[in-house]
Structures are given as structure tokens and as C-alpha cells.
Amino acid sequence: MADVQIDQVRRFNRTVTERVGVLYDHYLGRDRPIGEARLLWEIGDQGQDVRRLRERLGLDSGYISRLLRSLEAAGLVTVEPQPRDRRVRTVRLTATGRAERAVLDDRSDELAGSMLEPLNSAQRVRLVEAMAEVDRLLTAGTVTLDVVDPDHHDARHCLQGYFTELQERFDTGFDPARSLLPDAGELRPPSGLFLVARLQGEPVGCAGLKLPAGTAAEIKRMWVAPRARGLGLARRFLAELEARAAQHGFDALRLDTNTALTAAIGLYRSFGFEEVAAFNDEPYAHHWFEKRITGTAAAAAADGDS
């Protein structure tokens, strides 16, 4: 990363924190800092599992406990263990907490309006569009990729979403029993690996890599949840799997796909895959692709898309 990029990010951070009032202990003119106000927004009308809330905001357990104790002392929330598992705590807004959140919502609307009001209509459009792009890119940067066992519950969750989508999109439907699904053992080291992408602790995508002896590495079951699309995650999966295949000494990477998946086909071609003759008997495949890889190129690709 260039120094000028770092300087611009820091300048942007300073401007935003000043403009939205993060520097003040009394956020939006209320008697609490922004951390407590944000918790009131995130808890919502239905309440939240404290652990899920911590993962959603990326906070450590000690800090979120202090915030919750302060809100509880002010009569804004209740924190109670679940009857079936007392280790799991649920936080809910009280009537006073809901009223306070409504005031914060009104004040937040006023703050947003104060940012837009001095601008002309064209400038407002530019600012809102730029904010949407910044939000998308910052969100993309929070996605994590982790190697998990194919039987992990997050892996199963993603695969179920993948199968459901194929059932809806394929003209013939999709029956996992007919497909050449890799055995779970083929996606465990040393035979392969399985990646799960998580956004704010929630699984939003998966991709498997087979590392068979004597032939090319193969990408299997790559999927991104609809809510995480537009974050560059599919390209990030490809770069990560290419880098890992190269690290294991493979010089070729291949995959198969269905003609209904037009966006995926375009992605593979843009990523350097070339269409080749069929290399398996997958009944749902219409196209087969392969890419020659090197360790240096794959590592560079992974760094550029991370």
C-alpha cells in the first residue's frame, strides 16, 4: 500500500469522526457515549444474544459487558440467561430503552440531514453514492475466510444454501444425490480443504478445494450468499484457492459449472480460466475450465484481492 493511500484513509477517518460526533462523550446530545448508543440500535425490538451482539460489533467480552452494565443500571436494558442454557445471555430493551432509541433515531436523522442540507442536489447525490461505495468496501474488508471441517455447522449451512439455490436456478432442478459431490474426506487435509466466509460472525459463503495426487487441483462447491454479493467475495475465494493450490505444488486449477450460472462463467473467464474438454462426468456440468498457475502469480493474486 502506498503512503498516500494511508494518509488519505487517515484524513477520511478524522473528518468522519469529527462530523458524526464520535469525539463527544454525549453522543447526539444524550447522556451516553457512542458505544452505548450503538448497542441500543443493535439490540432491536426482539432482543439479541449477547454473544451474537459481540460478534456483530467486533467487541471483546469485557468491553461489551461494561457497556451493558451501564445501560442496565440506567434502566434501558435487561440482561437475562436463557432457561435452557444459562451460559447464553439475552439482552432486551426496556420501555425506557425503546423510548431512548427513538430519540436517538430522531437525532441521527437530524445529523444526517445537517450533512446534506448545505449541499446542492448534485452534491447530495455524489455524497450518498460515495458513502454507499465506502460502506460496501469497508464491509468487504470485514469478511473473514477460515478453513473448517466440511461437517462444521457453518459449512453445512452454506452448502444447504448452495443446493437450494441450484434447485431454483437449474432447469432440471438439483439433486445432490445425482451430483459428483466430493466425499467430506476429500475436502479435509491433506486431500483438500474447505473454506467458509463469515461476515460479522455469520457464514455467508463457502468454497472447497480438492488436492488429488497426479492431476490438477479442483474447485468445488463455491457459493456466496445473496446478501454478501457485490463484496468481491467470489473473486477472493478464487484467489485464495489458487494460492493454496500453488502452495501445495499444483500447476493447474480446474472447475466445472452449469450453463445457468452465467455470472460465474464470466467471473471464471475474467480470472484467467479457459474452457477445456470435459474432465469428469458431472451430470449438471455444461462447461469445464482450467487455469495454469504458478506459486508467485497465485500469491500475488491472493494479496491483491484480500
Side-chain angles (χ1 to χ4, degrees), residues 124-171:
R124 291 174 187 173
V125 170
R126 288 173 55 198
L127 178 59
V128 171
E129 289 178 347
M131 285 178 166
E133 178 70 0
V134 169
D135 179 67
R136 184 184 69 83
L137 293 173
L138 289 179
T139 299
T142 67
V143 176
T144 61
L145 298 185
D146 301 297
V147 176
V148 304
D149 190 274
D151 285 331
H152 188 280
H153 58 84
D154 284 350
R156 294 198 302 270
H157 171 84
C158 289
L159 286 173
Q160 185 56 54
Y162 174 71
F163 297 153
T164 299
E165 181 167 351
L166 296 189
Q167 171 66 27
E168 295 170 351
R169 298 187 62 180
F170 288 2
D171 291 339

Side-chain angles (χ1 to χ4, degrees), residues 31-52:
D31 292 331
R32 58 191 45 81
I34 190 172
E36 293 182 9
R38 179 63 187 276
L39 277 185
L40 291 176
W41 274 313
E42 294 294 338
I43 291 168
D45 292 331
Q46 303 304 315
Q48 284 281 354
D49 179 315
V50 173
R51 180 175 54 189
R52 183 68 55 81

Side-chain angles (χ1 to χ4, degrees), residues 4 22 24 84 209 234 241 260 271 282 306:
V4 66
V22 173
Y24 303 106
R84 288 180 295 181
L209 182 66
L241 295 176
F271 203 77
E282 170 60 59
S306 61

